[in-house]
Amino acid sequence: MGKLTNFKRSLWVFHASGGSCNACDIEIIAALTPRYDAERFGIKLVGSPRHADVLLVTGAIPRDFADKLRRIYEQMPDPKAVVVIGNCGTTGGVFYDSYNIAGPIDEVIPVDVYVPGCPPRPEAIIDGVVKAWLKIEKLEKELEGKKE
Amino acid sequence: MTWIESLTLNSPSGFWNPIVWLAFLVVFAVIGYLIYSRGNRSYKPNTDQVKPFLSGNEVEDVEEIRVRAGDIYWGFIEALKGYYSVLMRMHTGDVRDYILWYLGLGAVILFVLVGGV
């Protein structure tokens, strides 16, 4: 794992549930509750993408939700990263190729980290968020390079 | 009297001086610029990034979603539609019409009260 050198503030995450069965959502909550307590590292769930650095997405994305997910992604400030939690969002899972599904999440918005599992364990979710953190550090360095 | 004092307007509740006012304006403009310059420059104007978050829904025109004062009385006006439709036709906004009504009704009241005597 690389050193966290550039992104010096807490990492805030926003959770968008795209019609998941709730199992992945519960595991995200488990990552925040006292057993794992991701908040002690500053990883905090926020109520608006306007405040978020990382977007956590769960579920196979129904067609009606695709434009909303795009809008949520666009509302996040740069630099940002997207983490897909679970098999449904990663590949479509058991809903793959269904008529009402817009496809795996990477067909709707760009994805940086995949956390497969049905559902993935909280340790895997935290690992995915840390990988997104490294990606954001890289993006922020690029942004700073552009400024200079 | 110095020139600054000559520009000062004194009153029982305090004073006003354009030079002091300009000095404060400059100070607050500098403070405002310092706050602005520390803002995030990487945001993309004219995109969804600058719009409020409504659970991913499109932000509609404020006129479409605002509850207007007239909406509060909607049920009341709907229930008394027959009565209000007449009143609203009479409600021209022309003060001369209202004075005419006032004089007319005043004459009727006067006639009822003292006309027969």
Side-chain angles (χ1 to χ4, degrees):
Chain A
M1 197 177 94
K3 276 174 74 179
L4 303 178
T5 52
N6 201 30
F7 193 80
K8 293 186 181 71
R9 58 184 187 272
S10 295
L11 189 83
W12 286 8
V13 297
F14 179 79
H15 172 210
S17 176
S20 92
C21 70
N22 211 28
C24 295
D25 310 308
I26 282 174
E27 296 303 322
I28 290 170
I29 300 302
L32 296 165
T33 46
R35 187 181 175 96
Y36 297 95
D37 200 9
E39 277 196 12
R40 71 198 145 125
F41 305 119
I43 301 169
K44 188 186 165 201
L45 206 61
V46 291
S48 167
R50 301 286 305 274
H51 306 147
D53 306 297
V54 171
L55 177 63
L56 301 181
V57 195
T58 56
I61 304 298
R63 291 195 189 284
D64 282 350
F65 188 68
D67 61 327
K68 290 162 184 69
L69 185 63
R70 270 187 218 106
R71 207 169 284 125
I72 288 169
Y73 175 76
E74 281 176 22
Q75 284 184 328
M76 290 174 65
D78 294 311
K80 58 191 167 190
V82 176
V83 180
V84 170
I85 311 287
N87 285 350
C88 293
T90 305
T91 63
V94 293
F95 306 104
Y96 177 74
D97 225 11
S98 294
Y99 70 96
N100 55 344
I101 298 300
I105 291 164
D106 55 11
E107 288 182 16
V108 182
I109 54 171
V111 173
D112 300 292
V113 181
Y114 297 91
V115 184
C118 186
R121 290 183 61 83
E123 294 96 325
I125 294 171
I126 294 170
D127 186 46
V129 171
V130 170
K131 283 188 169 60
W133 203 325
L134 296 170
K135 174 74 188 272
I136 287 176
E137 277 195 346
K138 200 177 147 195
L139 289 172
E140 191 157 76
K141 273 181 187 157
E142 281 174 17
L143 275 173
E144 279 185 3
K146 273 183 194 169
K147 265 191 225 168
E148 288 159 7
Chain B
M1 185 187 277
T2 62
W3 67 274
I4 286 188
E5 282 171 347
S6 68
L7 287 171
T8 304
L9 176 72
N10 285 301
S11 76
S13 58
F15 73 95
W16 188 83
N17 185 308
I19 305 298
V20 175
W21 186 80
L22 274 175
F24 271 103
L25 190 72
V26 169
V27 167
F28 285 117
V30 168
I31 292 170
Y33 178 75
L34 287 174
I35 294 169
Y36 171 77
S37 64
R38 290 178 61 82
N40 186 353
R41 285 169 193 276
S42 62
Y43 84 101
K44 296 166 187 155
N46 306 321
T47 62
D48 275 307
Q49 213 172 64
V50 294
K51 289 182 185 167
F53 171 60
L54 288 177
S55 302
N57 292 301
E58 199 164 0
V59 180
E60 289 182 41
D61 188 22
V62 71
E63 295 295 329
E64 305 267 329
I65 53 175
R66 181 181 289 164
V67 178
R68 291 166 299 180
D71 295 337
I72 298 168
Y73 305 106
W74 177 85
F76 194 70
I77 291 167
E78 192 68 19
L80 299 168
K81 209 171 184 175
Y83 171 67
Y84 274 110
S85 61
V86 175
L87 276 192
M88 282 160 82
R89 270 202 304 276
M90 286 159 60
H91 185 58
T92 59
D94 189 339
V95 75
R96 291 169 300 183
D97 289 347
Y98 302 147
I99 289 171
L100 192 65
W101 277 108
Y102 180 78
L103 291 174
L105 279 173
V108 170
I109 290 165
L110 269 177
F111 180 77
V112 168
L113 291 178
V114 295
V117 181

